[in-house]
Amino acid sequence: MLYVILIVLLLAFVSVSNYMASRNMERENNAIVNQAIPILTTANSLLTSLINQETGLRGYQLGGSEQFLEPYTTGREQVAMDLNTLSTYDKKYPTLQIIIDTQAVPAITNLQKYYDTTLELFRAGKIEEAKARVIGGKTLMDRYRVIHTSIENNIEQITSTAYEASQQAGQTSRLITLVGFLIALLAGGMSIIISLRSYQAEKELRKSEETYRYMAESLESQNEEIIAQQEEQQVTLAKLSERERDLELISSYQEKLTGYVKLADFLKHTLPALLNSLVQDAALVVLENRSENGASSYEIIHSIGYPKGHIQASRSELFGPARRVFDEGVAITHTRDVTGNEQGVHNGMTRAIDHYIPLTDDKLEVIGFLLLTSYQSSLYQDDNQRLTKGLVRQFGLAFYAQVVNDEKLKQAESLALLNDQLTAEKLLLEGQHDLIQNILESAHEGMMMCDSEGTILFSNHRMNQYFALNERIGENLVSCSSEIVAESPSFHGVAASIEALIDRSLSHLTQRFSFQQDEQLQHAELYATVVSEGTEQQGYLFVFRDRTEEERVDEMKNEFISIVSHELRTPLASVLGFIEILLHRDLPQEKQKRYMETIYNEAQRLSNLINDFLDLQRMESGRQSYNFAPIHLQSLVTEIAEQWQDKQLHQIIVHQQEPELWVRADVDRIRQVFDNLISNAIKYSPAADHIDIHLLTQDGKVTIAIQDYGLGIPPEANEHMFSKFFRVDNSDRRQIGGTGLGLAIVKEIVEGHGGHISYTSEMGHGTTFRIELDQYEISGLDGKIVIFEDDDNLAKLIQVALHKLSLPSIQLRSAEEGMIALRRCEGEGPVLFIVDIHLEGEKTGWDFIADLYKHPVHAQTPVIVSTALDPPHDYHEKEIEKYLKKPFTMERLVQVAKRLLDNKSSLAYVFPAQNKEALSTTLERNGINVLKMQENQDMIEVDIIKPPSDK
């Protein structure tokens, strides 16, 4: 009984354990098949539904038809179903629940809100605002793709965990079987022992053995079933992996459907992804082009995968399946034999399947077709037909969107070009308008434009200064003229003429008149011309010319003629009168001399008057030249004062602040300035007995103040004091002669020297004229190379070149400056002079060289004569002097300067180019021993041996 019980228990244990292991493995496998795979399918369906919503929304955006929203509506319903399906696994998989509840659901909600809002914008007609949200939608979809990847990773983890549990169940089953086997061995041993003890139990034991065999066979069949289930699970995992790869290809393909600017870039990136997703080998896109006359041509805008030269880029007509696609608007599949290069490098491809897929616009009219070619399999497989149609449809929508976008880009480029042209024309018109406006505004005349009815259209600022017409643009000119007459009665005649002109009773208008403005009498001339006569834009241009200055000039001219007549006739009458007396009367010698002196003085007066006229004319024409040179101001002013004190009763007192003042000026013209100012001071201070002249210096400026104590200048004459022919007209000055040219000449001369003239005056107390000039500082020459050159650019170039000699240099513009600086030189003196012949001032470079050779200390300083003139006939170069004719190179100048500086400290002679042997013989005959001779371009340098007596 123990044996039987043991066997029964063993068999029951093995059966139960095998049953439990089998159920466990079956449960884990069912978990994979019934839970993991549906979850993954639901997640992928959720992504596909969202993509379908986006596709439907884009189709509606491009086509504008509600039928394109079918994928959008279907996808929205499918999303709700998929989310409901996923919620059933929440308790089973907490991690998946967290991802779905915290990430996926909010992201899907945001996408749904984005799609709803975008759809509302499209339906409301806010296309541009909806398009501006495209980037935001793409960002939301990219975020959900990341969340979808997290869900797939979690599902993969769940599947992996279930698979590991299944493996563990199989190991547990094998372990239980092994344990049962060991127990069976133990039971067999015990049965032998028991069989020896009890023969009677043999039949029961055999029966038990048969039962055991049956159970073992049952266990073996169960084990085979488990192995079959494992193989089925592996096939399922392979399908899941393949599905995942397909989804990745589809996702990559869909990502490449958007984001391109040009159609060529779209096709270049999209077609390879489409071929990979559909497992096709080649593709091309044909687009129909229609001309203005209705003729069509067909162009292959892109192809991939076909042999080179196999595709004809353009055709004028189509036939066969390609023609049927355009006529019928449906997809057509065509099988053909492969020939030529399409057979491949191994000639192994014999058959090709072509799939012609129509491409339509928003009106569902065929605009082209997509040709997909497979050399291995068919495009439309039963298990993949729905997905293939969806991908191809997405390509068609995206392609049409890209075609539309490409056309818009071309239109935008055309519009941009047209806009640039219009902008350029606008700028040109604006420039012309501004130019005309500036011309009108810069004109010295007032201008006003009105139409044929008298309506004021334009008024420049000159016209506004007088009549403020810019505030009355659009009003009637006749009415404005009547209002002006009320303020200025003298305008009555002009107003009447304007009215007659606009009424066409007057053909032209030219009229002069006067009016008061700012308590001053103004003279003007108004004339009008017809603009665009005989056209619809006919109008009148009124030109207002201010003649006040002309009237003043005419008045001054008349006054000048009167003055000149008086100034010329008075001395001329005196000259003629006294000459007539001398010719017709016998007079004593003393009277004759007195009359002759009077004639001389009057002739001198006439000469000065004529010289003033000539000087002023020369200055105004720009032909006045100045010989600038340093002037010792105190000496010049003192000399002029002494000359005047001999002729007049006024005492001229010179006050100087500094012991020595120098200026650069033309001495004759500065003398003319002082003579005019002193003459005026004497004439206009008849009751005074002296005139003060102050010489002051401050901040590099020299001020000469000439002060009289006479009549003074009235304030109203201030703005005209330096004008030509102006003289103060009052009873105190009528007996004082003059032409009114003196101060004008003085001002021209002072400004020609870069100076400034001004005056202060007090009626009855006198006037002070002040002249301000730049102070001149005498340059030091010690240890420097002195360059006499009045061309500043050439002087700077020479100074830059001489930097190679490491010696300082200085530029002087006149020979007088060099003479003064040389006389004051007390140190080592200059090392070299570079002298131009023509300089500022009256003296030339030859004058300076002559003065240099008379200097007791620096007469042996080397000199380079730099000039464009040929040397004089009697000129001979000296040992310390070199003649360079312009133009010459700076290298040549530096070379000559260096030799002269070297020769200054050595015994050497310079001779003109000649026969070297004859020169050497001549020198030795005269007792000069030659050490070395060096021949250059136009001279010979000779180094001599110093005689012993000279040591």
Side-chain angles (χ1 to χ4, degrees), residues 876-883 896 899-900 903 907-914 919 934 936 938-943:
H876 298 285
E877 288 185 346
K878 300 179 182 179
E879 176 185 352
I880 58 174
E881 183 177 310
K882 177 62 182 172
Y883 195 98
V896 173
R899 288 202 185 102
L900 289 176
N903 290 340
L907 289 174
Y909 291 92
V910 179
F911 297 93
Q914 54 186 293
L919 177 61
Q934 183 175 354
N936 294 317
D938 51 0
M939 65 178 182
I940 298 176
E941 296 181 7
V942 180
D943 294 339

Side-chain angles (χ1 to χ4, degrees), residues 257-283:
L257 286 177
T258 58
Y260 301 100
V261 177
K262 296 182 178 180
L263 179 62
D265 295 334
F266 167 79
L267 295 174
K268 180 179 178 182
H269 294 86
T270 307
L271 283 180
L274 181 63
L275 292 177
N276 291 334
S277 300
L278 301 180
V279 195
Q280 296 295 297
D281 300 314

Side-chain angles (χ1 to χ4, degrees), residues 376-448:
Q376 300 174 0
S377 61
S378 174
L379 171 67
Y380 295 104
Q381 299 176 359
D382 295 338
D383 58 347
N384 204 25
Q385 185 174 1
R386 180 175 174 273
L387 176 62
T388 300
K389 288 183 177 179
L391 295 180
V392 171
R393 182 178 181 184
Q394 290 179 1
F395 175 83
L397 292 173
F399 173 78
Y400 178 66
Q402 197 65 43
V403 168
V404 173
N405 184 60
D406 209 47
E407 292 178 355
K408 289 182 178 178
L409 283 177
K410 293 179 180 178
Q411 293 175 357
E413 292 175 356
S414 177
L415 289 175
L417 179 61
L418 181 60
N419 182 62
D420 292 341
Q421 295 175 351
L422 292 176
T423 302
E425 293 179 1
K426 179 181 177 183
L427 292 176
L428 179 61
L429 292 175
E430 289 178 353
Q432 293 176 348
H433 177 269
D434 293 341
L435 177 61
I436 295 172
Q437 186 78 15
N438 292 334
I439 292 173
L440 294 177
E441 291 294 342
S442 61
H444 293 286
E445 293 80 10
M447 295 186 182
M448 186 271 297

Side-chain angles (χ1 to χ4, degrees), residues 815-828:
E816 289 87 346
E817 294 178 68
M819 293 177 181
I820 296 172
L822 189 62
R823 295 190 191 106
R824 292 172 173 264
C825 191
E826 298 179 353
E828 61 175 314

Side-chain angles (χ1 to χ4, degrees), residues 224-241:
E224 290 176 355
E225 183 179 354
I226 291 172
I227 293 173
Q229 291 177 354
Q230 289 178 348
E231 292 176 353
E232 184 179 354
Q233 291 175 358
Q234 291 178 354
V235 172
T236 302
L237 288 174
K239 290 182 177 180
L240 288 175
S241 300

